[in-house]
């Protein structure tokens, strides 16, 4: 088997740098707020991480977006529906079953 040319190796390195999985190209999803706003969110339930025992509450915000609040810190992460749909597409929701 022949060794790859320098041009091919340079092209592969360039492609890796431009790939969307590269940390420099990742798009930030959602926002983190340090304090809870008014009680305008509707509770959807509580979740506990079995590995760490950390508890999180999941709420639906007034705008319809999802809010996840840490039980330990009270910090809240919010994401709009279009961001959640983008995450699902990136995870492969549209690809056929393997």
């Amino acid at each position: 088997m022949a060794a790859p040319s320098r041009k091919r190796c340079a092209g592969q390195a360039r492609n890796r740098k431009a790939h969307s999985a590269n940390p420099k190209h990742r798009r930030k999803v959602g926002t983190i707020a340090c304090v809870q706003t008014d009680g305008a969110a509707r509770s959807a339930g509580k979740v506990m991480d079995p590995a760490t025992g950390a508890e999180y509450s999941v709420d639906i915000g007034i705008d319809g977006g999802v809010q996840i609040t840490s039980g330990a810190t009270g910090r809240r992460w919010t994401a709009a529906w279009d961001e959640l749909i983008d995450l699902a597409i990136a995870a492969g929701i549209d690809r056929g079953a393997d």
Side-chain angles (χ1 to χ4, degrees):
M1 182 171 178
S5 67
R6 292 182 135 218
K7 183 178 179 183
R8 180 179 166 95
C9 289
Q12 288 175 338
R14 184 179 59 252
N15 289 343
R16 278 193 299 276
K17 286 181 183 176
H19 194 274
S20 62
N22 189 318
K24 291 182 180 179
H25 299 123
R26 284 200 187 128
R27 186 171 62 95
K28 183 179 159 191
V29 177
T31 55
I32 293 183
C34 294
V35 293
Q36 181 71 16
T37 57
D38 58 0
R42 184 175 40 138
S43 178
K46 291 194 183 264
V47 178
M48 187 168 85
D49 183 359
T52 64
E55 189 173 293
Y56 303 94
S57 63
V58 181
D59 305 315
I60 305 297
I62 195 166
D63 62 348
V66 175
Q67 298 178 5
I68 298 176
T69 306
S70 169
T73 64
R75 292 179 75 186
R76 188 187 70 227
W77 177 81
T78 60
W81 286 111
D82 59 341
E83 293 173 316
L84 294 173
I85 291 170
D86 289 345
L87 285 174
I89 292 169
I93 197 168
D94 289 333
R95 289 191 289 251
D98 294 296

